[in-house]
Amino acid sequence: MPVVRIALVAGALLATAMTAPPAQAEAAAAPPPVTVPAVRHWEAAPGTWELTRGSRIVIDDRALAGVAEMLSGELAEQEGVRPRIATGAPRSHDIALALGGKAPGDSPEGYELKLGAAARVTAADRRGALYGTRTLLQALRTAKDPRAVARGTIRDWPTQGSRGQMLDVGRRYFTVDYLKQQIRQLAWYKLNTFHLHLSDWNGYRVESAKHPEIVADEHYSVAELRELERYAARYGITIVPEIDLPGHAVSIGDARPDLAFSCESMSRPNNSWEGSDRGHWTLDYTKPATRAFARDLVGEVADIFTRSPYVHVGTDEIPLAGEQNKCPELVAYQKKQGYPHPGDVLVEFIDDLDAAVRAKGKTTQIWQWWDYQQDTSIDPDKRIVVNEWLAPPEERAKQGYPTIGTQDGKLYVSPGFGAKPGDYGFFDIRTTYRDYAFTAAPGILGYRVSRWSDRTQTLPLTWVDYFARRPLAVVADRTWATPAGSDVRPFLDRYDQVGDAGPVDVHAATGAINPGMLSQDGWRASATSAETAGEAGQAARAVDNDPYTHWHSAYDAQLPQQLTIDLGSRQRIAGIRQMPRQDGGINGRVRDYEVLVSDDGKRWRKVAAGAFPEERTEHQVPFAPVTARHVALRVLSEHGESGSFASVAELDVIRAR
């Protein structure tokens, strides 16, 4: 029977469905698997491929043994089936992993996944094979029937080469376990880069044998970082280690004041940069001793991260030209060297560190800064990779620099500054998903979401983690294949169904861990009351896949209030997830609650009860799996002062497997 392409216009698809035999009509109607990122190309075929107790993972190359072992464990955790690993010819229900042939899209990360009697992943490179297994895992998790995926062929590859996130572990220490969870999540979304900002004003987080006096109490040992890099390599992730020099150096300067600028303008710029009022902000990069010290640190980091082709040396947020001209020692050095501008001294320092990095066989990365609101007569070596954060990356790439796009505002997550649309550092998933270009052009290596930890030192991890979850998925989807111009809401429905990389624990402390939600498509919501005059507070806004709308009970009503969802059919469910209103308001934020389920919407049974904390993050309410068509959240009290309102931004339902 011929394969039918899913990417048909609506009229052609309807005509096929009306004229084709039933089996072929079924094949034509089969949508691509629900994944993040979305697959690039899908051709449907009749029937399903099923994972069974007898399924094996068959490999044709020992280079894929690690991928196979990882997949076997992930299937055991997610699907309750642990396939054994074998060689030879695959049989029905097996999973075959093979290397060979031309990579889809001519990308080493491209792969083909053919779902027939067996599920066959073919790639030219281990990375492509790994990504094929991510697609298979997500397809199984989101499939309508347990352990059964529609047959068809996926050909998939990314638009961008480098895709990932930067995490600021300098200002705030994150545990190694959290870093490993982030590595799994990056690979789950087919992202390939984890940039670790390992030092900042309040902490140098890398063990140093040569300069132990600068190391923060909370830091990573050499053994931990080497093991972390090995762990990342299993998941196809490249770690980009960064130590930020010569600015952001308060803690280093406190330990080594002999290496820091003594002039007030460079030592204590006292501007909006956190820590800039404390002194020792900038190391004195005119001193030979400081240069030697910086080369020591670069060498140590390069020797720790042996697999990474990069060392990032920071060089951002040095006080600008006006402040530089107020610093006698800097001006004296500038004149001695014959430079027309003080900014030339920073460029000289960049090139000095670049030489140290290249001596280790690696490539230097830096932040854009040397030419921001200041003049220079020289530029850094154009082999250096520039992380462009004050503008889109296109112009920098045209200058001849290999460039990473990580634009402030559009791609920044800074929950210590702002946590709602319009705040500085708030990543608005709606506009970035729809409007940001993510341009693919010569010289643009890729894009990262930058997760900054300013002002988060006393905030719970759940808060910091929560605000990065959807942005990371947005970057994954848009840098893989999805073009600009798309509505974020269907994507967020996909995001919720796909959930998080395993192992998944709904009781974990890192935000609202998502084991996979039901699609909200076709749901109907109702409520005991809704405010529609003073604000748009209809019940439907709690199930519209838009975090920035919400249901609000009528202003003149009293608690308790109930928000009810009709799932459209009986479903096996294992919990709910409730997102409080996201506009910064507190009125109606749910405190005490009950969760009810029903088959007919009339006779209800309570399956959970408790109290949500007074915070903006979403929370899971797991319960023993039940089958029901209707789910209700009964609001008994609120965190707001009035004690009479109820509001919910999004109410999702956890799918039981």
Side-chain angles (χ1 to χ4, degrees), residues 495-543:
Y495 159 84
D496 281 335
Q497 293 177 72
V498 165
D500 291 340
V504 173
D505 177 6
V506 295
H507 300 285
T510 52
I513 296 296
N514 179 2
M517 305 288 165
L518 293 176
S519 171
Q520 291 184 350
D521 186 39
W523 287 7
R524 291 183 296 168
S526 59
T528 47
S529 78
E531 180 59 38
T532 58
E535 64 175 289
Q538 297 90 337
R541 292 165 75 86
V543 293

Side-chain angles (χ1 to χ4, degrees), residues 361-446:
K362 298 180 182 292
T363 297
T364 304
Q365 294 200 19
I366 61 173
W367 295 105
Q368 164 198 15
W369 189 258
W370 79 92
D371 58 355
Y372 173 65
Q373 295 186 5
Q374 54 195 322
D375 294 324
T376 63
S377 66
I378 55 175
D379 291 317
D381 191 296
K382 290 194 174 178
R383 289 172 290 185
I384 295 172
V385 177
V386 179
N387 294 194
E388 192 81 357
W389 66 278
L390 291 163
E394 290 87 347
E395 289 304 314
R396 185 69 67 190
K398 289 178 182 177
Q399 293 174 10
Y401 286 97
T403 306
I404 298 289
T406 180
Q407 189 175 352
D408 187 2
K410 305 295 185 182
L411 300 175
Y412 266 31
V413 176
S414 301
F417 282 108
K420 65 181 187 302
D423 288 348
Y424 173 74
F426 184 81
F427 186 124
D428 192 325
I429 56 176
R430 300 167 298 179
T431 56
T432 297
Y433 189 80
R434 183 189 65 221
D435 301 332
Y436 197 70
F438 290 101
T439 301
I444 298 178
L445 303 185

Side-chain angles (χ1 to χ4, degrees), residues 454-656:
D454 309 67
R455 308 179 187 180
T456 66
Q457 291 85 1
T458 61
L459 297 175
L461 177 60
T462 50
W463 176 273
V464 176
D465 179 77
Y466 168 69
F467 287 100
R469 289 176 156 269
R470 288 169 179 82
L472 190 64
V474 163
V475 170
D477 206 59
R478 288 294 320 283
T479 58
W480 188 266
T482 302
S486 300
D487 187 342
V488 77
R489 289 172 295 181
F491 162 73
L492 290 178
D493 196 55
R494 251 192 304 132
Y495 159 84
D496 281 335
Q497 293 177 72
V498 165
D500 291 340
V504 173
D505 177 6
V506 295
H507 300 285
T510 52
I513 296 296
N514 179 2
M517 305 288 165
L518 293 176
S519 171
Q520 291 184 350
D521 186 39
W523 287 7
R524 291 183 296 168
S526 59
T528 47
S529 78
E531 180 59 38
T532 58
E535 64 175 289
Q538 297 90 337
R541 292 165 75 86
V543 293
D544 62 357
N545 283 304
D546 186 341
Y548 309 115
T549 64
H550 58 258
W551 161 66
H552 197 293
S553 62
Y555 291 168
D556 59 357
Q558 298 295 314
L559 294 177
Q561 294 285 328
Q562 183 167 309
L563 176 64
T564 301
I565 300 171
D566 180 351
L567 303 176
S569 63
R570 297 180 79 239
Q571 304 274 355
R572 187 160 171 78
I573 62 177
I576 66 163
R577 184 185 66 190
Q578 189 264 149
M579 179 189 290
R581 60 189 298 176
Q582 297 295 295
D583 60 356
I586 192 172
N587 283 344
R589 193 179 295 172
V590 181
R591 186 172 64 189
D592 296 295
Y593 66 86
E594 295 175 341
V595 180
L596 312 172
V597 298
S598 171
D599 292 323
D600 57 9
K602 299 176 182 178
R603 291 167 294 181
W604 295 89
R605 57 191 188 276
K606 183 167 66 175
V607 291
F612 292 120
E614 187 178 351
E615 60 185 39
R616 287 263 307 285
T617 59
E618 56 196 345
H619 286 274
Q620 310 275 19
V621 181
F623 48 75
V626 297
T627 301
R629 172 169 175 163
H630 302 269
V631 181
L633 177 67
R634 186 169 175 80
V635 183
L636 306 178
S637 67
E638 65 155 324
H639 287 291
E641 294 181 357
S642 72
S644 58
F645 298 139
S647 67
V648 173
E650 287 292 305
L651 188 63
D652 286 290
V653 177
I654 301 172
R655 181 178 185 175

